[in-house]
Amino acid sequence: MALVILAPTVIMGLFSIILNADERVPKAAIVATGVVSIYLDKLEEQLEVPDEDVDDAGFEIVSIPEGMQPQDAVREGIADAVLVFPGSFLEDRATGKNSRLDLYVEGADPMRTAAIFSRFRKTVPDSLDGMPRLLAVDCEPDCADTIPEGPPKIELTRVYGDEIDQNMDFFAPVLPPFFVFFFVFLLSGITFLRERMTGTAERLLASPLQRSELVTGYVLGFLPPALVQSTVVILFARYVVGGPWGGIVMVLATFLMCLVAECLGVFVSAFAKSEFQVFQFIPVVVLPQILLAGIIWPIADLPVWLRPIAYALPLSYAVEAIRDAAIRHFPLVDCLHYLGILCLFFAASVAGAALSVRRSA
Amino acid sequence: MSAGGTAALAIEANDLRKSFGKREALAGLTLRIPEGTMYGLVGPNGAGKTTLFRIAVGLSRATSGTIRVLGQEPGTLAVRGATGYMTQAEALYGDLTVAENVRFFGRLYGLSGARLSSAVEEVVRLVDLADRADSVVDTLSGGMRRRTALACAVVHRPRLLLLDEPTVGVDPELRSQFWDAFASWAAGGTTLLVSTHHLDEAGRCHRLGLLRDGALIAEGTPAELLSRSRAATMEEAFLSFAARRRAEEVAR
């Protein structure tokens, strides 16, 4: 009963906290070549968010090592965005040519990309006010008035996610592990609860079977249908929903989530006395993963105190691994650490499930 | 047999107590069941019968007191392997056939191959379900399911058989068949601890323990109990012992 009351309030509270949280100020680096580099400090000052006025128009200015390519700075997480002033910027501006700036962003998350791009479009024109307009030598008096003024064109380059042209491309690859987790958790929870309710669990525990063998047997028994379900869901995401393909990383992450869900189902069934109570665990076990595991919002955008909770959820690692593979095109070897963490989650959930199957009370 | 010439004890409980919160399910139960005995545990609902079974198979721990099963702590691998347990619930997989259920439980106790097949065949025949061996359990009557549960409990030929109300919901003819089977297993050296509500059938046990409020109020062979209570039937004997215990409690 407590869950029925507590769970919705906790979930609504989480929604409110996340949606009302201040937007994370992006880290931006400015790279200027040629004459513009003289004005770099001033540019940085104007693009930086004033402390007392954290709005959606400024940046946390960072510097990148000299000689480092903007793409590499973004790739290595030094900056969320790098704005590059080409050497000819002032000349182009003075002669009325369409002055152009190059903006490099990570690009995997279309919403984040749009937000960063919007910040630059709001901030950059004002930041150029203090910059002199160099006029051509042969400029007649007052010719400056004839030069059309306008904001420079900001050319966006995404380091990753070139093929990401709609939000669904961002979400589609991470939906299979979530849905597989959700349904396998419910199925194994209810099935093991039935073992307890019909008395077969008691019979099994009175036999020479070890608790760990019981849980392992359950996992193995569930494995074939769970793998079929995972395969169907992955293929549906790939060929019907569309979106980037995460290859073997996507398959492994989904299968591992399936295994974790089986054990969590067994674990949770120890605390339920009916199928109805298993359903009540959805807000406790499943919903936080939707909100916190990076499916909708990047974990980095969550309030600081919520991030440790996010990192304690297995789905966070499946989401990171799949986005790395599907959107950032990282090879398997670069995603192994996430898959390794999922294996640890699986081992911990087997142990938790085995402990929950109490032989003695 | 022990070195001293007395039968070894299959179950030995001393001052066994088990509490669930303030309620005491077992209140100082002392019990000795020699090997090869068919021991009947008789008592009303809530007397503590199932609690004793669960402690004996290692599914529950006593709050205090000691218990040895087949000479060991309950719940050890060796004890579990040598014990057959039929719970009050049918504890069967409804979507499997009779033979599949029995085979599954046989495997849990280490049977395999031809030994498993012959054990399954034999035990299914023993409970008179040979013609329904391939029937899905959910399609069977209540009595047939009880028989299947019994077959699952004995498929590995346990040294100790714990039967918690095995004849509940079973018709008189089948009950008689069950007790015939129990007697033949006991004759073969198996120790049986059988709980029952049916006082008439309890008379077939070698020894009986009358359990009330978590403690034995009388214990002995059926003939001894009838003689001591000067009753004509086991039911009268139980009521007589229960009345005596109440009177003693009031006197205290």
Side-chain angles (χ1 to χ4, degrees):
Chain A
M1 188 64 193
L3 268 181
V4 175
I5 296 164
L6 197 64
T9 54
V10 170
I11 296 301
M12 284 192 294
L14 273 179
F15 259 112
S16 158
I17 289 164
I18 295 168
L19 293 175
N20 290 331
D22 289 331
E23 193 182 330
R24 182 168 66 90
V25 177
K27 289 187 288 185
I30 315 292
V31 174
T33 52
V35 186
V36 190
S37 59
I38 301 167
Y39 300 97
L40 188 58
D41 288 346
K42 196 166 176 61
L43 274 170
E44 288 182 346
E45 196 179 300
Q46 286 182 300
L47 286 171
E48 190 148 31
V49 182
D51 286 345
E52 71 279 9
D53 182 25
V54 180
D55 55 18
D56 61 348
F59 300 90
E60 177 193 341
I61 299 296
V62 294
S63 53
I64 62 173
E66 209 174 319
M68 180 180 254
Q69 291 298 310
Q71 293 94 325
D72 293 337
V74 171
R75 210 172 273 134
E76 291 183 18
I78 298 170
D80 296 309
V82 179
L83 186 67
V84 178
F85 284 79
S88 61
F89 178 76
L90 284 179
E91 268 180 65
D92 293 343
R93 193 159 176 259
T95 55
K97 283 187 195 164
N98 202 3
S99 55
R100 200 193 84 172
L101 299 171
D102 292 312
L103 178 64
Y104 295 86
V105 294
E106 205 254 4
D109 178 353
M111 286 184 291
R112 182 89 179 132
T113 303
I116 290 174
F117 190 57
S118 159
R119 275 174 186 257
F120 274 104
R121 289 179 66 169
K122 278 184 195 168
T123 320
V124 165
D126 290 344
S127 71
L128 301 178
D129 282 350
M131 200 178 279
R133 305 190 71 209
L134 295 181
L135 302 181
V137 181
D138 56 349
C139 182
E140 294 295 323
D142 302 328
C143 74
D145 297 337
T146 64
I147 298 170
E149 283 193 32
K153 187 184 176 202
I154 301 176
E155 192 72 37
L156 182 71
T157 302
R158 284 180 286 204
V159 175
Y160 303 116
D162 273 348
E163 70 275 38
I164 304 293
D165 50 10
Q166 53 181 354
N167 284 338
M168 199 56 202
D169 290 340
F170 181 65
F171 294 120
V174 297
L175 293 181
F178 167 70
F179 281 114
V180 165
F181 177 84
F182 180 25
F183 287 107
V184 171
F185 164 74
L186 269 188
L187 200 64
S188 73
I190 289 171
T191 310
F192 203 81
L193 181 73
R194 283 195 179 159
E195 292 266 9
R196 294 179 197 275
M197 289 165 71
T198 58
T200 46
E202 186 158 311
R203 282 287 288 109
L204 294 174
L205 291 170
S207 79
L209 201 67
Q210 302 288 344
R211 286 182 298 177
S212 55
E213 289 174 329
L214 175 56
V215 174
T216 311
Y218 238 77
V219 170
L220 291 176
F222 258 100
L223 208 52
L227 290 185
V228 169
Q229 186 217 21
S230 303
T231 308
V232 170
V233 171
I234 288 170
L235 292 176
F236 189 85
R238 171 78 175 107
Y239 294 107
V240 181
V241 178
W245 172 235
I248 185 71
V249 174
M250 190 170 170
V251 173
L252 289 175
T254 305
F255 286 172
L256 281 167
M257 282 304 293
C258 163
L259 295 176
V260 172
E262 283 182 31
C263 297
L264 271 180
V266 173
F267 178 76
V268 157
S269 73
F271 305 97
K273 288 189 169 64
S274 67
E275 282 96 339
F276 175 65
Q277 287 190 338
V278 174
F279 278 96
Q280 288 180 43
F281 277 99
I282 294 173
V284 178
V285 177
V286 180
L287 286 185
Q289 309 226 39
I290 304 178
L291 298 180
L292 303 178
I295 293 181
I296 307 172
W297 305 278
I299 293 173
D301 285 358
L302 295 175
V304 175
W305 64 273
L306 274 178
R307 287 180 214 164
I309 301 173
Y311 288 120
L313 302 173
L315 193 60
S316 300
Y317 301 94
V319 167
E320 280 299 318
I322 292 175
R323 290 224 171 102
D324 274 359
I327 298 176
R328 300 181 182 100
H329 302 299
F330 287 5
L332 171 64
V333 69
D334 288 343
C335 302
L336 282 179
H337 58 295
Y338 290 128
L339 298 178
I341 293 170
L342 284 178
C343 289
L344 292 179
F345 267 103
F346 173 52
S349 61
V350 169
L355 285 175
S356 77
V357 182
R358 280 170 295 223
R359 193 182 292 287
S360 298
Chain B
M1 298 290 273
S2 69
T6 54
L9 294 176
I11 296 180
E12 182 182 15
N14 288 304
D15 196 22
L16 204 61
R17 291 175 188 274
K18 175 70 180 178
S19 300
F20 296 100
K22 287 182 181 171
R23 191 177 71 81
E24 205 168 31
L26 291 179
L29 178 74
T30 295
L31 183 70
R32 281 172 179 76
I33 304 177
E35 281 197 21
T37 305
M38 179 159 56
Y39 193 100
L41 209 52
V42 180
N45 288 330
K49 301 187 295 288
T50 300
T51 304
L52 174 62
F53 279 101
R54 298 192 81 245
I55 291 173
V57 294
L59 289 170
S60 183
R61 281 203 192 115
T63 310
S64 66
T66 59
I67 181 167
R68 306 280 291 176
V69 178
L70 298 173
Q72 298 185 36
E73 287 291 314
T76 63
L77 201 62
V79 171
R80 278 186 272 142
T83 305
Y85 179 37
M86 181 177 174
T87 59
Q88 268 188 48
E90 279 153 7
L92 296 168
Y93 294 100
D95 46 358
L96 298 184
T97 65
V98 171
E100 285 167 345
N101 267 284
V102 179
R103 178 171 283 274
F104 172 74
F105 282 103
R107 273 185 197 281
L108 290 183
Y109 287 86
L111 299 179
S112 61
R115 207 164 137 243
L116 174 65
S117 297
S118 68
V120 170
E121 198 178 318
E122 185 187 331
V123 82
V124 167
R125 201 178 326 113
L126 193 75
V127 296
D128 202 17
L129 281 175
D131 58 335
R132 302 299 300 268
D134 295 324
S135 298
V136 172
V137 163
D138 273 345
T139 65
L140 300 179
S141 68
M144 288 176 178
R145 288 203 289 265
R146 294 301 289 170
R147 278 188 268 171
T148 308
L150 180 61
C152 291
V154 299
V155 64
H156 59 294
R157 293 175 177 265
R159 271 174 68 198
L160 172 64
L161 192 50
L162 303 171
L163 305 172
D164 194 1
E165 312 243 2
T167 54
V168 164
V170 175
D171 63 71
E173 191 183 345
L174 183 59
R175 275 187 358 226
S176 174
Q177 287 174 24
F178 269 28
W179 281 98
D180 289 343
F182 300 163
S184 72
W185 292 331
T190 305
T191 309
L192 289 96
L193 176 59
V194 189
S195 72
T196 181
H197 278 130
H198 298 284
L199 292 161
D200 52 336
E201 64 189 27
R204 296 186 63 170
C205 293
H206 299 146
R207 293 187 74 80
L208 282 176
L210 306 188
L211 195 64
R212 187 173 167 272
D213 295 334
L216 283 182
I217 55 173
E219 205 263 354
T221 64
E224 284 169 356
L225 293 173
L226 288 173
S227 157
R228 271 159 44 198
S229 62
R230 294 185 191 131
T233 64
M234 286 309 304
E235 192 168 341
E236 284 175 16
F238 181 81
L239 292 173
S240 164
F241 284 115
R244 269 190 227 173
R245 172 54 66 98
R246 269 197 301 274
E248 284 168 14
E249 284 169 358
V250 170
R252 266 189 240 134

